[in-house]
């Protein structure tokens, strides 16, 4: 039977999809400014080419792609986490896994925002931007700490799954898996079923990844065809500074932390993160990217699923280093724009609030701005300041989401290595996981 295997690797195809979308979208933006739309009529209907392409084709394909990714999140987290906890032979290991993961997630977020604040104080991006209040940004309420803790425990697990409340789903799945491990024969029987379900869901993930070049293309084309560039002028310093700190964290802090705490080769990790990073970039959501992050951690980085199934979903909810970086720079920026001085205690408060805020908020597009409202309130800065930066936030959101998921995988590697749950050969094999990513139709015939 002839092979359907493409000569290009999936990573290259996804990358090409992203670049092509960026180009087509930018081209459409230039060609179809308000005056220059091409209209034609079919069956008496007046159709605008711009609407047909951007809202119609790209919009529909992109949204279907995002929905399909999200569709997998709850089943994937539930099934893999039940398998993961059920397979832990030593129950105390669960506590250790949780302790190490949370410590690393919180620690790396604190480091991220500290670097961001330090660089923002040195560069002073807000000086010279004399924008005054009068903007009307409506801040959404960020949750308080007690509420976050209580909110982790679902009163109704089906409701938690239906609403996609990941912390609640995690708690329920862990308890379910622990009970299964303690339930003797009944647990063993169900364990086999869950393992099979896990294999099938992971297959769905790979099928979806094979369609990703088209999905990524559509998302990027729509975004770049509609993005307003007008606000970039005044905010160029702020924008560039956030980008630079994101790069510093991803390419300097992460490698150093990974090397120091696990001895692993950081370049290998960064290289293997490319696919997941592009997914994060084009979806702007750590939650939607979760199936791909999980696939990267297990198949490419060699993190055993007993660790990945816990650490990665947890990270997609509570670990947001990239978001914390934006908040650090934004706080200093807004303080400078409104001519307000922040004391050392204020900065410490910013670090603390931003780190804690990231625990209670899910990784979805734009959530960073909601967390920023909470941070600004803590240090008495005007929340309307958010309206200043909102115009350039979309591109930053995309980039910081890639950083957020890179952090999730790095922590998973460190925790797995320390627990003896990392397959070093897989980690060091540059081609690991690539075979599983190829989906062939003949597999369907073989088993069908
Ligand atoms: N979009 C980010 C994420 O999902 C969160 C944010 O920074 O707004 O990780």
């Amino acid at each position: 039977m002839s092979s359907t295997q493409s000569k290009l690797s999936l990573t290259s195809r996804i990358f090409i999809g992203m670049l092509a979308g960026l180009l087509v979208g930018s081209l459409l933006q230039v060609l179809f400014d308000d005056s220059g739309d091409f209209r034609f009529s079919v069956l008496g209907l007046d159709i605008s080419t711009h609407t047909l392409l951007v809202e119609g084709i790209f919009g529909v394909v992109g949204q279907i792609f995002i929905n399909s990714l999200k569709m997998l999140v709850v089943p994937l987290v539930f099934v893999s986490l039940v398998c993961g906890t059920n397979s832990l032979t030593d129950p105390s290991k669960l506590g250790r896994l949780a302790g190490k993961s949370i410590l690393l997630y919180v620690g790396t977020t604190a480091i991220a925002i500290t670097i961001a604040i330090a660089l923002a104080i040195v560069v002073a991006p807000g000086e010279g931007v004399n924008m005054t209040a009068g903007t009307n940004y409506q801040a959404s309420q960020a949750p308080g700490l007690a509420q976050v803790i209580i909110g982790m425990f679902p009163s109704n697990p089906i409701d938690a799954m239906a609403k996609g409340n990941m912390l609640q789903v995690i708690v329920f799945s862990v308890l379910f898996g622990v009970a299964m491990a303690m339930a003797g024969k009944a647990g063993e029987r169900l364990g086999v079923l869950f393992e099979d379900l896990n294999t099938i869901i992971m297959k769905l993930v790979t099928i979806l990844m094979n369609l990703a070049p088209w999905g990524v293309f559509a998302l990027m084309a729509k975004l770049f065809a509609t993005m307003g560039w007008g606000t970039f002028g005044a905010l160029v310093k702020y924008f560039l500074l956030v980008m630079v700190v994101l790069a510093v964290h991803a390419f300097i802090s992460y490698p150093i932390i990974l090397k120091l705490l696990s001895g692993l080769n950081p370049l290998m990790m960064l290289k293997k993160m490319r696919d997941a990073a592009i997914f994060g970039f084009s979806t702007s959501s750590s939650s939607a990217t979760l199936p791909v992050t999980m696939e990267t951690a297990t198949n490419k980085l060699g993190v055993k699923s007993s660790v990945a199934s816990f650490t990665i979903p947890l990270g997609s909810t509570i670990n947001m280093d990239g978001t914390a970086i934006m908040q650090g720079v934004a706080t200093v920026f807004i303080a400078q724009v409104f001519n307000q001085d922040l004391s050392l205690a204020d900065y410490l408060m910013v670090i603390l609030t931003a780190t804690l805020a990231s625990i209670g908020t899910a990784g979805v597009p734009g959530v960073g701005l909601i967390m920023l409202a909470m941070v600004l309130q803590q240090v008495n800065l005007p929340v309307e300041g958010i309206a200043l930066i909102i115009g350039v936030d979309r591109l930053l959101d995309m980039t910081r989401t890639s950083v957020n998921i890179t952090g999730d995988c790095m922590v998973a590697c460190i925790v797995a290595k320390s627990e003896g749950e990392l397959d070093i050969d897989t980690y060091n094999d540059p081609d690991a996981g690539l075979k599983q990513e190829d989906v062939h139709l003949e597999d369907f015939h073989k088993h069908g």
Side-chain angles (χ1 to χ4, degrees):
M1 192 175 282
S2 71
S3 167
T4 49
Q5 193 162 9
S6 156
K7 282 214 183 72
L8 286 173
S9 71
L10 184 60
T11 303
S12 316
R13 280 182 282 144
I14 295 176
F15 191 67
I16 291 171
M18 183 178 84
L19 282 188
L22 204 146
L23 283 178
V24 170
S26 309
L27 212 67
L28 283 178
Q29 167 108 248
V30 178
L31 283 180
F32 294 106
D33 53 1
D34 294 336
S35 51
D37 195 2
F38 297 123
R39 307 188 81 90
F40 58 93
S41 60
V42 178
L43 297 169
L45 289 174
D46 180 33
I47 293 174
S48 135
T49 317
H50 184 267
T51 313
L52 179 72
L53 279 177
V54 177
E55 301 303 328
I57 299 177
F58 300 151
V60 170
V61 173
Q63 201 52 49
I64 290 178
F65 176 61
I66 292 211
N67 283 3
S68 317
L69 277 171
K70 287 187 180 163
M71 164 183 87
L72 292 177
V73 171
V74 170
L76 175 70
V77 171
F78 177 55
V79 172
S80 66
L81 205 43
V82 168
C83 290
T85 26
N86 185 41
S87 68
L88 284 177
T89 37
D90 173 9
S92 63
K93 203 166 180 168
L94 195 60
R96 273 207 318 274
L97 273 185
K100 283 184 192 173
S101 307
I102 293 172
L103 201 72
L104 283 167
Y105 282 144
V106 172
T108 48
T109 305
I111 293 176
I113 187 164
T114 309
I115 299 176
I117 291 179
L119 282 180
I121 292 175
V122 174
V123 176
E127 242 137 65
V129 186
N130 276 323
M131 295 193 188
T132 38
T135 42
N136 48 353
Y137 176 79
Q138 284 295 323
S140 314
Q141 270 300 309
L145 186 59
Q147 209 43 49
V148 170
I149 295 173
I150 298 171
M152 283 168 60
F153 292 83
S155 58
N156 178 349
I158 307 292
D159 183 56
M161 289 183 189
K163 295 205 170 107
N165 184 327
M166 285 337 280
L167 283 181
Q168 292 189 347
V169 175
I170 290 173
V171 168
F172 176 69
S173 313
V174 167
L175 293 177
F176 195 91
V178 169
M180 229 164 96
M182 294 163 77
K185 281 266 171 283
E188 277 170 31
R189 282 195 300 269
L190 201 57
V192 177
L193 182 74
F194 265 86
E195 289 295 344
D196 286 351
L197 275 174
N198 203 20
T199 311
I200 293 167
I201 291 175
M202 285 314 283
K203 194 81 213 171
L204 251 177
V205 174
T206 50
I207 293 173
L208 196 57
M209 283 188 72
N210 276 263
L211 298 173
W214 298 104
V216 168
F217 169 79
L219 286 175
M220 298 303 282
K222 179 171 179 204
L223 179 71
F224 279 82
T226 49
M227 194 155 67
W229 295 92
T231 33
F232 273 75
L235 296 173
V236 119
K237 253 179 159 178
Y238 162 78
F239 179 83
L240 290 180
L241 185 59
V242 177
M243 286 297 210
V244 167
V245 186
L246 287 173
V248 166
H249 198 57
F251 299 118
I252 299 179
S253 316
Y254 282 160
I256 293 177
I257 297 171
L258 184 71
K259 190 77 193 160
L260 284 182
L261 297 185
S262 70
L264 293 166
N265 174 0
L267 284 181
M268 196 57 101
M269 182 200 71
L270 289 177
K271 203 168 151 250
K272 291 182 176 192
M273 283 307 301
R274 279 178 311 191
D275 278 356
I278 295 179
F279 268 74
F281 188 74
S282 48
T283 61
S284 273
S285 166
S286 320
S287 296
T289 311
L290 200 145
V292 184
T293 321
M294 194 87 119
E295 197 259 358
T296 304
T298 48
N299 291 345
K300 294 190 181 154
L301 294 167
V303 178
K304 300 248 168 81
S305 45
S306 53
V307 171
S309 66
F310 179 76
T311 309
I312 298 290
L314 188 70
S316 80
T317 314
I318 74 168
N319 184 48
M320 295 188 198
D321 296 358
T323 307
I325 287 171
M326 176 278 285
Q327 289 169 0
V329 178
T331 309
V332 177
F333 176 75
I334 290 170
Q336 287 166 351
V337 167
F338 288 98
N339 279 322
Q340 295 206 15
D341 284 332
L342 294 177
S343 63
L344 186 61
D346 287 333
Y347 287 123
L348 289 177
M349 183 53 96
V350 171
I351 295 174
L352 190 72
T353 327
T355 308
L356 291 180
S358 69
I359 298 179
T361 36
V364 290
V367 76
L369 291 183
I370 299 175
M371 291 154 62
L372 181 60
M374 183 172 168
V375 172
L376 292 177
Q377 265 161 7
Q378 282 295 322
V379 287
N380 291 324
L381 283 174
V383 175
E384 314 91 82
I386 292 179
L388 299 179
I389 55 171
I390 212 164
V392 295
D393 196 62
R394 185 61 217 258
L395 260 191
L396 294 177
D397 192 4
M398 298 162 80
T399 317
R400 67 188 183 239
T401 306
S402 302
V403 175
N404 289 347
I405 57 171
T406 306
D408 299 344
C409 283
M410 184 203 62
V411 167
C413 287
I414 297 175
V415 174
K417 176 82 187 329
S418 73
E419 290 288 325
E421 299 277 334
L422 185 90
D423 184 337
I424 302 281
D425 292 339
T426 305
Y427 184 92
N428 287 326
D429 174 4
D431 296 326
L434 296 187
K435 280 235 168 52
Q436 284 106 309
E437 276 184 353
D438 281 315
V439 175
H440 302 296
L441 275 181
E442 46 266 48
D443 291 343
F444 180 73
H445 296 308
K446 213 163 48 209
H447 300 296

